[in-house]
């Protein structure tokens, strides 16, 4: 983070905040069955562009036990309300990969995509600590999730 923020003019608080967010994302992902972790940082003309991360995870469950998307969305919404998590919009959306639970906060965007054969949900967890989800980077993250397709017979 020091290298990425060097000469950017961003305050030390911003750098520390981004570092904490990324560390927590990686640690929580590892504990939750993470499969992949992608991080985007770039320097352009001496200005740090907003970092973004994508954590992909899947916690397998016995076939047939994955709740329908509407039930899963309701459970997520109730859990967020009971533990006083940040304000979040929890919706069920139709994507090319199927019914998906989409959870959006100011800086995170989660897509829980139901896996064919009731094997659970693939979790795409985007974090946009500086640009936020209401930005072109947030739109890009949504587009990436929309690009997911299941290949039949594999």
């Amino acid at each position: 983070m020091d290298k990425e923020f060097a000469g950017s003019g961003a305050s030390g608080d911003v750098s520390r905040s981004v570092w904490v967010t990324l560390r927590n994302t990686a640690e929580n992902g590892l504990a939750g069955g993470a499969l992949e972790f992608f991080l985007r940082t770039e320097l352009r003309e001496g200005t740090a562009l907003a970092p973004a991360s994508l954590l992909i995870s899947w916690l397998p469950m016995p076939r047939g036990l994955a709740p329908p998307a509407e039930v899963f969305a309701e459970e997520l919404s109730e859990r967020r309300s009971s533990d006083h998590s940040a304000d979040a919009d929890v919706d069920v959306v139709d994507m090319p990969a199927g019914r998906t639970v989409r959870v959006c906060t100011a800086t995170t965007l989660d897509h829980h995509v139901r896996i064919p054969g009731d094997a659970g949900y693939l979790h795409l967890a985007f974090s946009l600590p500086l640009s936020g989800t209401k930005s072109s980077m947030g739109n890009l993250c949504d587009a990436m999730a929309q690009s997911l397709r299941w290949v039949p017979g594999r």
Side-chain angles (χ1 to χ4, degrees), residues 90-106:
V90 180
D91 299 300
V92 177
V93 297
D94 286 314
M95 295 194 345
R99 301 287 284 163
T100 299
V101 179
R102 183 180 181 275
V103 182
C104 183
T105 71

Side-chain angles (χ1 to χ4, degrees), residues 139-151:
N139 294 341
L140 176 62
C141 293
D142 260 331
M144 290 170 61
Q146 286 281 344
S147 73
L148 179 64
R149 308 278 193 285
W150 301 115
V151 178

Side-chain angles (χ1 to χ4, degrees), residues 88-144:
D89 294 325
V90 180
D91 299 300
V92 177
V93 297
D94 286 314
M95 295 194 345
R99 301 287 284 163
T100 299
V101 179
R102 183 180 181 275
V103 182
C104 183
T105 71
T107 59
T108 63
L109 180 59
D110 294 337
H111 289 85
H112 301 272
V113 185
R114 191 172 174 122
I115 298 173
D118 291 333
Y121 284 87
L122 184 69
H123 183 194
L124 308 176
F126 296 94
S127 178
L128 305 130
L130 297 181
S131 63
T133 54
K134 305 269 191 259
S135 66
S136 57
M137 184 59 73
N139 294 341
L140 176 62
C141 293
D142 260 331
M144 290 170 61

Side-chain angles (χ1 to χ4, degrees), residues 11-100:
S11 73
D13 289 340
V14 170
S15 176
R16 280 186 295 281
S17 174
V18 171
W19 167 247
V20 168
T21 299
L22 293 176
R23 183 198 63 219
N24 290 345
T25 300
E27 288 175 355
N28 290 337
L30 182 60
L35 302 173
E36 298 280 344
F37 181 63
F38 300 94
L39 175 64
R40 175 199 175 268
T41 62
E42 293 179 10
L43 286 175
R44 186 178 298 155
E45 298 175 17
T47 303
L49 295 177
S53 66
L54 166 59
L55 180 74
I56 302 173
S57 58
W58 170 55
L59 291 176
M61 45 179 62
R63 290 202 185 273
L65 291 184
E70 290 76 12
V71 172
F72 189 41
E74 187 175 318
E75 290 172 4
L76 285 175
S77 186
E78 287 174 6
R79 185 181 312 155
R80 295 188 73 85
S81 294
S82 68
D83 69 8
H84 307 292
S85 297
D87 287 336
D89 294 325
V90 180
D91 299 300
V92 177
V93 297
D94 286 314
M95 295 194 345
R99 301 287 284 163
T100 299

